[in-house]
Every structure is written in C-alpha cells, then in structure tokens.
C-alpha cells in the first residue's frame, strides 16, 4: 500500500472526514463503563446500568444507520447486508 493513502484510490488530502454522527449519541462515551462503586439501593443501581447499556446500544444502532446511508452510494450489497445484520442484533 502506498504511503499516505487509506487503501482506496485517493490520498488523505482528498478524503472528506465529515463526522456523519455528530448530531447523535456519543457512542464512545455511552459505551464506556464507569466505576459505579458500591451502591446501597441495588434495584436503582441495576436500572441505571440497564439504561446506560440501552443508550450504548442505541448509539451503536444510530451509527450503523448513518454509515449505511453513506455507504449506499458505493452500492456494495455485501457491506449493506452486513450492516443490516449488525443492526438486527441490537434490536
């Protein structure tokens, strides 16, 4: 692979690095676990953990949906089918 390319027939200078997920959940923050320590109210603690996991999965789903919309232009049915399968797992 030629130095300075991304594996495509373009250089880094030609690639539009627009963040297509900027108006959505920040998936990295939503999916990064925090140290919750010891909690006295176990039910509320479990509910909070569940809600955090739900937000993480929602972020992943939204990201995949955005990537799918962008990748439709390439018309690669294998990639689009793979994204569809990943999106089914999160439902």
């Amino acid at each position: 692979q030629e130095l300075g390319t991304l594996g495509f027939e373009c250089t880094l200078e030609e690639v539009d690095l627009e963040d297509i997920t900027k108006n959505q959940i920040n998936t990295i923050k939503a999916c990064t676990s925090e140290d919750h320590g010891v909690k006295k109210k176990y039910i509320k603690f479990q509910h909070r953990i569940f809600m955090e996991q739900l937000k993480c999965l929602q972020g992943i789903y939204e990201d995949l949906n955005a990537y799918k919309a962008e990748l439709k232009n390439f018309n690669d049915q294998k990639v689009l089918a793979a994204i569809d399968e990943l999106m089914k797992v999160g439902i």
Side-chain angles (χ1 to χ4, degrees):
Q1 178 176 332
E2 183 181 326
L3 191 63
T5 66
L6 296 175
F8 301 99
E9 292 184 20
C10 57
T11 63
L12 291 173
E13 292 78 27
E14 296 171 337
V15 177
D16 180 12
L17 299 176
E18 176 189 359
D19 181 3
I20 61 173
T21 63
K22 65 183 168 201
N23 295 324
Q24 296 172 203
I25 292 171
N26 184 322
T27 306
I28 294 172
K29 285 183 181 176
C31 295
T32 303
S33 68
E34 299 175 16
D35 181 16
H36 298 288
V38 177
K39 300 290 178 185
K40 292 181 182 177
K41 297 182 180 181
Y42 185 74
I43 301 289
K44 285 187 178 182
F45 175 67
Q46 287 299 100
H47 181 265
R48 192 170 102 214
I49 295 295
F50 173 76
M51 294 306 291
E52 289 172 1
Q53 290 173 342
L54 189 63
K55 189 172 183 178
C56 172
L57 290 174
Q58 181 182 357
I60 292 170
Y61 184 87
E62 289 177 5
D63 289 350
L64 287 170
N65 201 32
Y67 300 149
K68 180 180 172 184
E70 288 292 316
L71 292 170
K72 279 186 179 180
N73 296 334
F74 291 108
N75 203 22
D76 186 335
Q77 295 307 313
K78 286 179 104 175
V79 170
L80 296 175
I83 293 174
D84 283 338
E85 287 301 310
L86 287 170
M87 292 174 76
K88 286 180 190 176
V89 172
I91 295 174

